């Protein structure tokens, strides 16, 4: 089963500050462990929200707000995608990450197409497919 | 994020079952490294595995009360060594009057070295050595598969038995005998030198791909796919790529498995029945795996040299992954890749696949000619896909009665219940028999 680990941002990450050499080193080592254990499928860090935007939906109206966003706590600064045999294994891996200072890291299981079950009707699948075709042509 | 000062694990009361699940998880993460590190010390996989198991038993006894330690891997390693030393010392005392076997004294000395604790920290190279040991050519294929899954995949004997539909006793026997064979043949705990690396590495890749294929196209039983085995093989493939990133074929094998696995979901219909590539809904492909597979293939190709068999197969799988339907597929390129693969392997199964590609690229007449040239091939005798492919080519030629006979023959030869159903339904789709009763 597949998991996403969501790493929250901080005032420092929002200010575009790079983590300390010490933390970078620990994080590199941790990532190596994940790769060498065949667990990590993907993982990226995100730029500060100053480079992002928000789109608000209201009926047919779309309101665009440029970054940065105020609530640093609710900002995602990076993510991993892991393949693990169980949620317990994913938790065990996450426990080993070099975080500190009261930060809370969220672990979420990724939906498998089969998890949608009856909700993903043949028509929806077909719509999905058409969308993919258009994307491929662009 | 404020640096990585040492983490103190708060011990919270947890239910025993939660702790046991956590111990399972720790074991899955740590067991290969633990056994590999211990093997380097005691130079015997059987002894190493026993010590590791002893440590696991200790964890099961102690962790429900004490909580899971801060560094569970280091705890297991230290416990394994301490228990090993204690057990051997007891035997030294008990058997003082008799001659203690020299080998046991040797192990005791090896275990009883203070600097070992530090060494266990960095054991990735040991994991690689262990892979080459469990996949050593001195062992039978079945033994290599069982031992690799057990020592590197962290699977229990019952799990391996279930995966391969054999009895637990058979697997246990296989593993015991394999460990004895390794000891008797004095197989060294090392990564082979350049002169024999290619050959030994291909034995390793073969084991991983065997596991994958056993999951991907279950050869027997009710199920068409056993995804857990595919996942185990993918994990082993990823570990190997991380350990040997410069080996093209290691990258090629992982790319092949990821591209094939990307279609696992689309290969099974709602009732568990197989869905052929031409009928698959590509929206159900796993696009993360497709991207990883294509990237892995690029890495394998960039590492240079002639493309090996796994990289060629990955390149073929990539041709399918890059297109959304069978009509758009670059069949002439696939034929060319199969040409290269056939030249490399000389395998009749590859020739049969090539015949399918030729049918798609150049028409069913050309394909049928190739299939018929394989009719007397001893390696394909009793192989259900030979009549299966011939039936498919005959359908394209509109020769439905003959096609029907071929599908029925294929179903007779097929051991997998789900696949047999598919073949029989294809036979039925060919229409009524023109000459009833002629089919054996």
């Amino acid at each position: 089963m597949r998991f996403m680990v969501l790493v929250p941002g901080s005032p420092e990450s929002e200010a575009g500050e790079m983590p300390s050499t010490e933390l970078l080193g620990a994080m590199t080592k941790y990532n190596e462990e994940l790769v060498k254990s065949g667990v990590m499928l993907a993982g990226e860090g995100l730029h500060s929200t100053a480079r992002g935007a928000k789109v608000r939906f209201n009926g047919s109206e779309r309101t665009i707000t440029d970054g940065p966003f105020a609530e640093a706590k609710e900002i995602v600064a990076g993510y991993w995608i892991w393949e693990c045999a169980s949620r317990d294994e994913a938790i065990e891996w996450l426990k080993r990450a070099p975080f500190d200072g009261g930060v809370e890291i969220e672990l979420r299981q990724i939906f498998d197409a089969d998890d949608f079950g009856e909700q993903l009707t043949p028509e929806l699948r077909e719509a999905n497919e058409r969308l993919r075709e258009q994307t491929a042509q662009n | 994020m404020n640096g990585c000062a040492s983490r103190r694990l708060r011990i919270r009361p947890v239910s025993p079952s939660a702790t046991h699940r956590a111990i399972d998880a720790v074991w899955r993460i740590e067991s290969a490294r633990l056994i590999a590190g211990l093997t380097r010390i005691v130079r015997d996989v059987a002894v190493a595995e026993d010590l590791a198991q002893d440590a696991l038993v200790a964890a099961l006894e102690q962790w429900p009360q004490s909580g899971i330690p801060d560094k569970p891997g280091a705890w297991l390693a230290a416990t394994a060594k301490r228990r090993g030393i204690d057990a051997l010392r007891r035997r030294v005392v008990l058997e003082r009057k008799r001659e203690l076997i020299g080998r046991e004294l040797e192990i005791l000395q090896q275990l009883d070295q203070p600097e070992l604790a530090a060494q266990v920290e960095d054991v990735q190279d040991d994991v690689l050595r262990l892979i080459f040991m469990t996949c050593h050519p001195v062992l039978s294929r079945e033994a290599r598969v069982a031992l690799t899954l057990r020592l590197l995949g962290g699977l229990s004997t019952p799990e391996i038995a279930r995966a391969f539909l054999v009895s637990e006793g058979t697997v246990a026997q296989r593993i015991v005998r394999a460990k004895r064979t390794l000891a008797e043949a004095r197989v060294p705990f090392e990564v082979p030198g350049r002169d024999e690396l290619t050959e030994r590495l291909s034995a390793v890749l073969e084991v991983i791909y065997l596991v994958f294929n056993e999951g991907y196209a279950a050869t027997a039983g009710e199920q068409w796919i056993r995804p857990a085995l595919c996942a185990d093989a993918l994990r082993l493939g990823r570990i190997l790529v991380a350990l040997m990133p410069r080996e093209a074929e290691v990258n090629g094998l992982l790319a092949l498995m990821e591209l094939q696995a990307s279609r696992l979901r689309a290969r099974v219909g709602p009732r568990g029945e197989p869905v052929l590539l031409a009928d698959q809904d590509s929206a159900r492909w796993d696009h993360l795996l497709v991207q990883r597979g294509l990237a892995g293939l690029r890495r394998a190709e960039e590492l240079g040299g002639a493309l090996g068999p796994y990289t060629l197969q990955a390149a073929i799988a990539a041709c399918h992954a890059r297109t959304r339907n069978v009509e758009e597929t670059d069949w002439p390129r696939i034929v060319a890749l199969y040409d290269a693969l056939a030249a490399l392997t000389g395998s009749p199964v590859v020739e049969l696949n090539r015949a399918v590609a030729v049918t798609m690229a150049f028409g069913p007449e050309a394909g049928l000619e190739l299939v018929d040239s394989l009719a007397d091939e001893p390696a394909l005798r009793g192989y259900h896909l030979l009549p299966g492919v011939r039936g498919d080519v005959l359908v394209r030629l509109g020769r439905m009665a003959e096609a029907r006979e071929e599908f029925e023959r294929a179903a007779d030869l097929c051991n997998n219940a789900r696949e047999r159903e598919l073949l029989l339904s294809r036979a039925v789709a060919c229409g009524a028999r023109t000459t009833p009763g002629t089919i054996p």
Side-chain angles (χ1 to χ4, degrees), chain B residues 173-193:
Chain B
Q173 267 279 326
R174 239 175 235 169
I175 289 172
V176 167
R177 236 184 276 136
K179 288 191 282 200
R180 198 185 306 138
T181 306
L182 288 175
E184 283 167 5
R186 295 179 183 280
V187 169
F189 184 63
E190 63 185 23
V191 175

Side-chain angles (χ1 to χ4, degrees), chain B residues 80-92:
Chain B
K81 280 189 296 168
R82 199 178 54 244
R83 290 217 160 186
I85 292 168
D86 289 350
L88 286 167
R89 283 212 178 113
R90 268 199 304 279
R91 290 193 58 178
V92 173

Side-chain angles (χ1 to χ4, degrees), chain A residues 2 26 33 36-38 41 85 88-89 92-93 95-96 98-100 112-114 125 129 132-133 136, chain B residues 3-5 7 21 25-26 28-30 33 72 235 238-239 265 281-284 286-287 289 292 324:
Chain A
R2 219 169 263 180
E33 286 267 295
K36 285 185 172 168
S37 300
L41 297 186
D88 295 285
E89 192 196 341
E92 189 53 39
W93 274 114
K95 275 164 58 185
R96 298 168 183 215
F99 293 111
D100 197 2
D112 197 275
D114 299 329
R125 282 192 204 285
E129 167 78 343
R132 266 179 44 74
E133 272 174 38
Chain B
C4 62
R7 295 160 294 137
R21 288 206 315 272
V26 167
R28 192 175 159 82
I29 293 171
E30 300 293 345
R33 291 187 286 195
R235 186 176 176 119
R238 289 179 188 133
I239 291 171
R265 294 193 297 223
D281 175 0
S282 60
R284 297 193 73 208
D286 184 329
H287 299 292
L289 286 184
R292 284 181 53 93
R324 290 181 312 284

Side-chain angles (χ1 to χ4, degrees), chain B residues 41-42 51 54 77-92 104 107-114 116:
Chain B
I41 298 168
V42 299
L51 292 175
D54 284 348
T79 306
K81 280 189 296 168
R82 199 178 54 244
R83 290 217 160 186
I85 292 168
D86 289 350
L88 286 167
R89 283 212 178 113
R90 268 199 304 279
R91 290 193 58 178
V92 173
E104 288 181 333
I107 292 173
L108 181 53
Q109 282 161 4
Q110 287 157 342
L111 279 172
D112 207 2
Q113 288 171 30
L116 288 174

Side-chain angles (χ1 to χ4, degrees), chain A residues 96-130:
Chain A
R96 298 168 183 215
F99 293 111
D100 197 2
V103 64
E104 265 190 333
I105 310 290
E106 194 172 329
L107 175 77
R108 304 285 298 272
Q109 188 176 348
I110 295 178
F111 256 113
D112 197 275
D114 299 329
D115 292 332
F116 287 106
E118 297 303 308
Q119 303 300 314
L120 194 62
T121 60
E123 293 72 34
L124 273 177
R125 282 192 204 285
E126 204 185 310
N128 238 339
E129 167 78 343
R130 278 200 304 276

Side-chain angles (χ1 to χ4, degrees), chain B residues 136-296:
Chain B
H136 197 278
V138 76
L139 303 173
S140 73
R141 275 200 186 82
E142 291 82 6
R144 288 179 219 168
V145 167
L147 200 60
T148 303
L149 283 176
R150 166 95 185 204
L151 299 187
L152 289 145
L155 271 69
S156 66
T157 300
E159 283 172 326
I160 299 169
R162 265 201 307 280
F164 287 89
L165 307 171
V166 291
S167 74
E168 283 180 33
T170 306
V171 174
Q173 267 279 326
R174 239 175 235 169
I175 289 172
V176 167
R177 236 184 276 136
K179 288 191 282 200
R180 198 185 306 138
T181 306
L182 288 175
E184 283 167 5
R186 295 179 183 280
V187 169
F189 184 63
E190 63 185 23
V191 175
R194 264 288 143 197
D195 52 327
E196 52 164 359
L197 185 64
T198 308
E199 199 188 327
R200 293 284 307 279
L201 186 56
S202 99
V204 171
L205 299 178
E206 184 191 25
V207 166
I208 297 175
Y209 197 44
L210 274 173
V211 173
F212 182 82
N213 264 326
E214 190 62 31
Y216 190 73
T219 52
E222 291 296 311
Q223 271 187 313
W224 163 253
I225 292 171
R226 278 178 246 133
L229 272 182
C230 292
D232 288 323
L234 282 165
R235 186 176 176 119
L236 288 171
R238 289 179 188 133
I239 291 171
L240 200 59
V241 164
L243 294 174
M244 306 187 93
R246 311 274 320 149
E247 291 293 332
E249 276 287 87
V250 175
N251 285 283
L253 172 63
L254 180 58
L256 171 62
M257 293 193 297
E258 290 192 320
L259 288 170
Q260 288 183 326
S262 73
R263 296 199 290 267
L264 277 179
R265 294 193 297 223
R267 280 181 89 219
V268 186
R271 279 163 289 106
E273 77 280 13
V275 179
L276 297 179
L277 181 61
D279 303 323
Q280 282 174 17
D281 175 0
S282 60
R284 297 193 73 208
W285 291 354
D286 184 329
H287 299 292
L288 177 58
L289 286 184
V290 171
Q291 292 314 316
R292 284 181 53 93
L294 293 176

